[in-house]
mmCIF file of all heavy atoms in Angstrom:
data_model
loop_
_atom_site.group_PDB
_atom_site.id
_atom_site.type_symbol
_atom_site.label_atom_id
_atom_site.label_comp_id
_atom_site.label_asym_id
_atom_site.label_seq_id
_atom_site.Cartn_x
_atom_site.Cartn_y
_atom_site.Cartn_z
ATOM 1 N N PRO J 1457 64.294 44.879 12.804
ATOM 2 C CA PRO J 1457 64.436 46.258 12.335
ATOM 3 C C PRO J 1457 64.365 46.391 10.854
ATOM 4 O O PRO J 1457 64.595 45.487 10.130
ATOM 5 C CB PRO J 1457 65.963 46.479 12.783
ATOM 6 C CG PRO J 1457 66.520 45.173 12.815
ATOM 7 C CD PRO J 1457 65.499 44.074 13.339
ATOM 8 N N ALA J 1458 63.877 47.531 10.491
ATOM 9 C CA ALA J 1458 63.659 47.800 9.047
ATOM 10 C C ALA J 1458 65.009 47.787 8.380
ATOM 11 O O ALA J 1458 65.947 48.394 8.809
ATOM 12 C CB ALA J 1458 62.903 49.068 8.780
ATOM 13 N N LYS J 1459 65.075 47.205 7.206
ATOM 14 C CA LYS J 1459 66.253 47.288 6.380
ATOM 15 C C LYS J 1459 66.308 48.675 5.701
ATOM 16 O O LYS J 1459 65.354 49.265 5.334
ATOM 17 C CB LYS J 1459 66.145 46.165 5.324
ATOM 18 C CG LYS J 1459 66.164 44.826 5.732
ATOM 19 C CD LYS J 1459 66.203 43.765 4.696
ATOM 20 C CE LYS J 1459 66.204 42.369 5.210
ATOM 21 N NZ LYS J 1459 66.184 41.328 4.127
ATOM 22 N N PRO J 1460 67.623 49.102 5.619
ATOM 23 C CA PRO J 1460 67.780 50.375 5.013
ATOM 24 C C PRO J 1460 67.281 50.332 3.509
ATOM 25 O O PRO J 1460 67.608 49.367 2.815
ATOM 26 C CB PRO J 1460 69.305 50.713 5.207
ATOM 27 C CG PRO J 1460 69.853 49.347 5.384
ATOM 28 C CD PRO J 1460 68.873 48.569 6.082
ATOM 29 N N GLN J 1461 66.696 51.345 3.201
ATOM 30 C CA GLN J 1461 66.064 51.450 1.778
ATOM 31 C C GLN J 1461 66.860 52.428 0.879
ATOM 32 O O GLN J 1461 67.360 53.566 1.469
ATOM 33 C CB GLN J 1461 64.651 51.732 1.698
ATOM 34 C CG GLN J 1461 63.719 50.818 2.527
ATOM 35 C CD GLN J 1461 63.778 49.503 1.937
ATOM 36 O OE1 GLN J 1461 63.747 49.415 0.679
ATOM 37 N NE2 GLN J 1461 63.777 48.338 2.701
ATOM 38 N N THR J 1462 66.994 52.162 -0.351
ATOM 39 C CA THR J 1462 67.703 53.239 -1.166
ATOM 40 C C THR J 1462 66.794 54.367 -1.475
ATOM 41 O O THR J 1462 65.578 54.245 -1.521
ATOM 42 C CB THR J 1462 68.130 52.528 -2.463
ATOM 43 O OG1 THR J 1462 67.006 52.049 -3.130
ATOM 44 C CG2 THR J 1462 69.065 51.507 -2.309
ATOM 45 N N SER J 1463 67.336 55.542 -1.743
ATOM 46 C CA SER J 1463 66.484 56.824 -2.018
ATOM 47 C C SER J 1463 66.016 56.925 -3.226
ATOM 48 O O SER J 1463 65.259 57.809 -3.712
ATOM 49 C CB SER J 1463 67.312 58.006 -1.465
ATOM 50 O OG SER J 1463 68.439 58.147 -2.408
ATOM 51 N N GLY J 1464 66.751 56.131 -4.284
ATOM 52 C CA GLY J 1464 66.330 56.210 -5.657
ATOM 53 C C GLY J 1464 67.141 57.332 -6.482
ATOM 54 O O GLY J 1464 66.868 57.549 -7.673
ATOM 55 N N GLN J 1465 68.156 57.943 -5.668
ATOM 56 C CA GLN J 1465 68.837 59.124 -6.317
ATOM 57 C C GLN J 1465 70.022 58.516 -7.056
ATOM 58 O O GLN J 1465 70.531 57.485 -6.788
ATOM 59 C CB GLN J 1465 69.277 60.050 -5.281
ATOM 60 C CG GLN J 1465 68.160 60.772 -4.614
ATOM 61 C CD GLN J 1465 68.652 61.832 -3.460
ATOM 62 O OE1 GLN J 1465 69.578 61.418 -2.814
ATOM 63 N NE2 GLN J 1465 67.966 62.915 -3.471
ATOM 64 N N ILE J 1466 70.440 59.157 -8.084
ATOM 65 C CA ILE J 1466 71.742 58.857 -8.837
ATOM 66 C C ILE J 1466 72.817 59.850 -8.685
ATOM 67 O O ILE J 1466 72.710 61.055 -8.636
ATOM 68 C CB ILE J 1466 71.290 58.739 -10.327
ATOM 69 C CG1 ILE J 1466 70.137 57.876 -10.561
ATOM 70 C CG2 ILE J 1466 72.493 58.492 -11.091
ATOM 71 C CD1 ILE J 1466 70.439 56.384 -10.342
ATOM 72 N N TYR J 1467 74.041 59.155 -8.312
ATOM 73 C CA TYR J 1467 75.194 60.084 -7.935
ATOM 74 C C TYR J 1467 76.174 59.939 -9.237
ATOM 75 O O TYR J 1467 76.482 58.780 -9.591
ATOM 76 C CB TYR J 1467 75.850 59.559 -6.737
ATOM 77 C CG TYR J 1467 77.270 60.179 -6.561
ATOM 78 C CD1 TYR J 1467 77.262 61.569 -6.170
ATOM 79 C CD2 TYR J 1467 78.515 59.623 -6.619
ATOM 80 C CE1 TYR J 1467 78.542 62.139 -5.909
ATOM 81 C CE2 TYR J 1467 79.664 60.113 -6.478
ATOM 82 C CZ TYR J 1467 79.689 61.485 -6.083
ATOM 83 O OH TYR J 1467 80.886 62.108 -5.877
ATOM 84 N N CYS J 1468 76.551 61.108 -9.712
ATOM 85 C CA CYS J 1468 77.424 61.103 -11.010
ATOM 86 C C CYS J 1468 78.707 61.929 -10.560
ATOM 87 O O CYS J 1468 78.725 62.965 -9.799
ATOM 88 C CB CYS J 1468 76.791 61.824 -12.154
ATOM 89 S SG CYS J 1468 75.310 61.007 -12.728
ATOM 90 N N ALA J 1469 79.881 61.284 -10.959
ATOM 91 C CA ALA J 1469 81.131 62.056 -10.795
ATOM 92 C C ALA J 1469 82.024 61.721 -11.959
ATOM 93 O O ALA J 1469 81.874 60.649 -12.581
ATOM 94 C CB ALA J 1469 81.879 61.456 -9.483
ATOM 95 N N ALA J 1470 82.962 62.594 -12.129
ATOM 96 C CA ALA J 1470 83.769 62.385 -13.350
ATOM 97 C C ALA J 1470 84.700 61.213 -13.244
ATOM 98 O O ALA J 1470 85.112 60.594 -14.286
ATOM 99 C CB ALA J 1470 84.636 63.720 -13.624
ATOM 100 N N THR J 1471 85.004 60.830 -11.985
ATOM 101 C CA THR J 1471 85.961 59.715 -11.891
ATOM 102 C C THR J 1471 85.282 58.306 -11.896
ATOM 103 O O THR J 1471 85.786 57.264 -12.286
ATOM 104 C CB THR J 1471 86.750 59.784 -10.544
ATOM 105 O OG1 THR J 1471 85.699 59.904 -9.434
ATOM 106 C CG2 THR J 1471 87.593 61.106 -10.602
#
Side-chain angles (χ1 to χ4, degrees):
K1459 294 182 179 180
Q1461 302 292 324
T1462 61
S1463 62
Q1465 296 176 323
I1466 301 297
Y1467 172 70
C1468 294
T1471 57

